[in-house]
Amino acid sequence: MKKLLAMGLTLGLFLTASAQETETDSIPNGWKTDGNIQLLFNQSAFNAEWTGGGTSSIAGNLNLNYDFNYKMDDFTWDNKILANYGLTKVKGDDFARKTSDRFELNSVAGKEINNSNFYYSWFLNFRTQFAKGYEFSEDAETGETIRTETTHAFSPAYLQTGPGIMWKKGDDFMVNLAPATARFIFVDKAFTSGPEYMDGDYFGVDAGEGMRFEFGASLTALAAFDIVENVRMENSINLYSNYLDKPGNVDIDYLMNLQMGINEFLSANLLFQAIYDDNAVGAFQIREVFGVGFNYKF
């Protein structure tokens, strides 16, 4: 089932890209940069006399999307930084809680093959988080909220790199297949060193270790396009199969970013992400963030 889902998502992105009636971009030599920062707010408030029920809350999300690409004749080097961090505070709760926390760097270099849309390529992907992550529970006697640290910056952190073949049509449509990809999963040994820790329980890392090495195949695809004026959708997906352990369990990381411009400084933004990684949890991780806020393009 996971294989079919992975192939279906990949095929959908590829067909979306192929369906666009866009000619290959005439990109000049040199550096090209493009970036966007968004600060999104969500807030709700209820007074004591409100009979419909509800809890006051406030939330904020800061998003960064930055591209810095280089081209020189038949050589291209594309780089993208994605970063977001969000918190929400509910009235009566002892702690603020994260709604999003991600830092990701994608980099792929390509050498064009015979004036086609195909390239010999080498890619690198790095992702981690900014702040500590917690599991929340309640003290049975006092009723107070208890939080237990489960992750923090660089625990986990993922690094993937390897050679491959890339199909690219401009800056907005790309598919890269890397059949010999090295993958490193880094964690803090403090999470793998407890007396009851079992090998693989924390992001697949063995007891007492701070890293897990994998070798497999990676497929990355990007499709970005304007739906209507001032409404732009970006889709990206990364699939990974580990040859060394359960190659049929394909890891999936899909991200959709829908940007809806109101004016030069105000915008609405919808993020949807689905992750499957059975080293972390044997189920899909889903997050969705929607908000209206300030927008700055640079």
Side-chain angles (χ1 to χ4, degrees), residues 215-237:
F215 183 75
S218 172
L219 187 146
T220 302
L222 167 71
F225 51 91
D226 295 327
I227 299 176
V228 295
E229 186 178 0
N230 295 327
V231 179
R232 182 171 178 80
M233 175 181 282
E234 296 182 355
N235 297 274
S236 64
I237 189 169

Side-chain angles (χ1 to χ4, degrees), residues 246-259:
K246 301 177 183 177
N249 284 7
V250 178
D251 292 345
I252 303 168
D253 189 344
Y254 168 74
L255 177 66
M256 185 275 290
N257 184 10
L258 185 64
Q259 303 170 5

Side-chain angles (χ1 to χ4, degrees), residues 51-250:
T51 60
T55 303
S56 299
S57 66
I58 185 169
N61 285 272
L62 182 65
N63 301 320
L64 169 69
N65 188 334
Y66 182 59
D67 297 293
F68 51 108
N69 302 332
Y70 178 78
K71 179 180 183 296
M72 184 55 66
D73 300 327
D74 62 350
F75 173 79
T76 65
W77 182 26
D78 295 341
N79 304 276
K80 177 184 281 288
I81 291 176
L82 296 170
N84 54 73
Y85 186 76
L87 291 172
T88 184
K89 182 66 169 66
V90 177
K91 184 179 180 180
D93 200 337
D94 295 332
F95 303 102
R97 306 195 186 201
K98 290 196 295 186
T99 56
S100 62
D101 186 2
R102 182 182 181 93
F103 174 85
E104 182 171 353
L105 169 66
N106 290 290
S107 182
V108 57
K111 177 74 170 178
E112 190 176 15
I113 303 173
N114 298 328
N115 294 317
S116 66
N117 288 326
F118 289 90
Y119 296 74
Y120 299 114
S121 66
W122 192 286
F123 91 102
L124 180 143
N125 171 268
F126 175 79
R127 57 187 172 92
T128 185
Q129 62 189 50
F130 292 102
K132 295 178 180 180
Y134 300 94
E135 287 184 352
F136 292 88
S137 57
E138 185 176 290
D139 188 287
E141 295 183 358
T142 65
E144 294 181 351
T145 301
I146 302 171
R147 62 177 187 176
T148 304
E149 182 182 337
T150 56
T151 60
H152 57 66
F154 300 102
S155 184
Y158 298 86
L159 175 66
Q160 291 183 183
T161 187
I165 295 292
M166 175 175 63
W167 175 87
K168 179 182 178 182
K169 190 174 182 181
D171 286 339
D172 291 337
F173 304 115
M174 180 274 289
V175 178
N176 186 72
L177 175 63
T181 296
R183 186 189 198 199
F184 303 87
I185 303 173
F186 302 98
V187 301
D188 188 333
K189 286 186 179 181
F191 293 111
T192 64
S193 299
E196 299 181 357
Y197 183 82
M198 301 292 292
D199 285 351
D201 280 353
Y202 190 74
F203 297 97
V205 179
D206 289 342
E209 300 295 327
M211 186 194 76
R212 172 184 170 93
F213 173 76
E214 299 179 349
F215 183 75
S218 172
L219 187 146
T220 302
L222 167 71
F225 51 91
D226 295 327
I227 299 176
V228 295
E229 186 178 0
N230 295 327
V231 179
R232 182 171 178 80
M233 175 181 282
E234 296 182 355
N235 297 274
S236 64
I237 189 169
N238 180 269
L239 310 177
Y240 181 78
S241 173
N242 179 20
Y243 298 147
L244 306 179
D245 184 23
K246 301 177 183 177
N249 284 7
V250 178

